[in-house]
Amino acid sequence: MQQRYIKAGLSLDAYHPYGQTISVFYCVNGSPVARRWMEYSIASLRRLYGKANGLEFFVASDEPYIAQGVKWIDARPYISQYGIAKISQVKKHGRTASPMQIFRLAAPLIKEFANKDRILYLDIDTEVVGCGLTGLLAKDFNADVMALVEHSGHGNTSTSIMLRDEELLGMMTSHTKARLRNGGYFNNGVMVMNLRRMRAAHPDWDKQLPRYIEMAVKHHRVVVDQDISNVVLDAIPLAPEFNVMPDTDVAIPKTPPVLIHYANTNKYKSQTYPPKGLKEKCIQQK
């Protein structure tokens, strides 16, 4: 299947003539470990791009989060209104799923984003290590609502089950079915969210989101928010260097990484941020 990668390369200088602020969005629960990971990610962005004073950080949490230069989004009203709390009925990797794991899909409904055309969502366990990330927001997505990295083979278990489920198949476009059958599966850890296009394409998202959450509960470990995105949202692939996952079975690209995603759940047992050796594994890849 032909790839339509958005390539790395645009610098912050190339982006800022548009006069726009780069809005970066995180979702986190009250765990001190999770919050330290997120703060490490924020610090990596500030190190590379902070001098431009064009960054703004939004942190959605179901507990108060106060930090300099960060705007807290109180997730609790949205969790209640859209039934997001039901996701806690799902077990993932032996743990109870947190509403904050699926909250990113509520982005088009968040009042703080009402006047935002696009935002950059990052998982808390990410680190920006190269230039090119911020230029993504200046790209033309055409009809797509998001841009994500497509990892061939990643999510094979979920994909095979989704392609056998009549309810999910009925929600897929022909393009989505073809992508999944060819092994293309998007990872939600790095998302450029075209909120303007998403609101236009899904004007009843406030009604759709609760339905998808019900599906996540119904399918238990199979359909989580990432699977929902792969089924119902049109997306364009980003180049692999925008979401390099060194501690998974996903191949490390030959090109220099722009963003490293420490996606393995063992990270929460590590005493260092990031776990020792993983960053070097990506940087030294030839």
Side-chain angles (χ1 to χ4, degrees):
M1 185 165 54
Q2 184 179 8
Q3 298 296 326
R4 298 177 295 150
Y5 285 146
I6 294 180
K7 299 290 187 181
L10 276 181
S11 67
L12 193 64
D13 292 336
Y15 174 74
H16 262 264
Y18 293 90
Q20 299 182 28
T21 298
I22 302 154
S23 303
V24 187
F25 179 40
Y26 294 90
C27 299
V28 68
N29 57 27
S31 162
V33 174
R35 291 187 172 203
R36 284 198 297 270
W37 270 93
M38 181 188 68
E39 288 159 1
Y40 182 89
S41 180
I42 291 174
S44 72
L45 261 168
R46 284 176 168 159
R47 275 196 307 272
L48 281 175
Y49 301 113
K51 291 181 180 179
N53 296 318
L55 294 171
E56 60 177 357
F57 295 96
F58 294 87
V59 172
S61 181
D62 50 4
E63 296 184 20
Y65 182 81
I66 308 299
Q68 185 175 3
V70 175
K71 300 175 183 179
W72 173 49
I73 296 172
D74 186 354
R76 293 170 294 188
Y78 301 97
I79 290 173
S80 174
Q81 182 174 355
Y82 300 113
I84 298 174
K86 293 180 181 178
I87 203 67
S88 60
Q89 300 175 35
V90 175
K91 298 287 185 180
K92 184 180 179 184
H93 303 304
R95 299 178 305 194
T96 300
S98 163
M100 299 316 302
Q101 289 176 262
I102 201 170
F103 191 81
R104 51 193 157 190
L105 293 184
L109 308 172
I110 295 173
K111 64 179 182 179
E112 285 86 351
F113 296 153
N115 296 318
K116 302 289 184 187
D117 285 345
R118 296 182 184 183
I119 59 173
L120 174 62
Y121 168 83
L122 297 179
D123 267 2
I124 60 171
D125 52 355
T126 55
E127 179 182 7
V128 181
V129 296
C131 296
L133 189 67
T134 52
L136 292 175
L137 279 78
K139 287 289 186 177
D140 182 9
F141 287 19
N142 298 317
D144 299 290
V145 301
M146 292 195 297
L148 313 90
V149 171
E150 185 179 86
H151 293 302
S152 179
H154 183 58
N156 273 348
T157 301
S158 291
T159 299
S160 63
I161 295 173
M162 286 191 288
L163 289 172
R164 295 197 305 269
D165 187 283
E166 292 298 326
E167 181 181 14
L168 298 181
L169 282 170
M171 301 170 65
M172 298 180 195
T173 64
S174 58
H175 175 77
T176 297
K177 291 176 186 176
R179 172 173 55 81
L180 291 173
R181 284 169 178 153
N182 280 278
Y185 183 85
F186 291 119
N187 180 275
N188 277 15
V190 179
M191 298 192 292
V192 182
M193 305 183 78
N194 188 339
L195 297 181
R196 177 182 55 80
R197 175 61 189 161
M198 192 170 180
R199 294 184 193 107
H202 302 272
D204 58 344
W205 190 247
D206 59 328
K207 297 179 178 64
Q208 291 183 40
L209 181 58
R211 177 190 174 196
Y212 298 145
I213 293 168
E214 292 281 359
M215 290 175 58
V217 174
K218 172 184 174 182
H219 291 265
H220 204 50
R221 292 182 303 158
V222 179
V223 179
V224 292
D225 70 306
Q226 188 162 277
D227 295 334
I228 293 171
S229 300
N230 273 271
V231 169
V232 301
L233 298 176
D234 295 322
I236 186 170
L238 298 177
E241 56 264 33
F242 287 114
N243 190 347
V244 179
M245 301 194 294
D247 50 348
T248 69
D249 57 357
V250 175
I252 298 175
K254 301 295 184 182
T255 48
V258 175
L259 193 145
I260 301 174
H261 182 190
Y262 306 103
N264 194 293
T265 53
N266 290 331
K267 61 181 172 283
Y268 293 111
K269 300 177 182 178
S270 174
Q271 300 300 312
T272 60
Y273 304 92
K276 188 175 180 180
L278 291 181
K279 180 176 179 179
E280 291 73 18
K281 181 179 177 181
C282 297
I283 301 296
Q284 294 173 6
Q285 178 80 3
K286 301 295 183 183

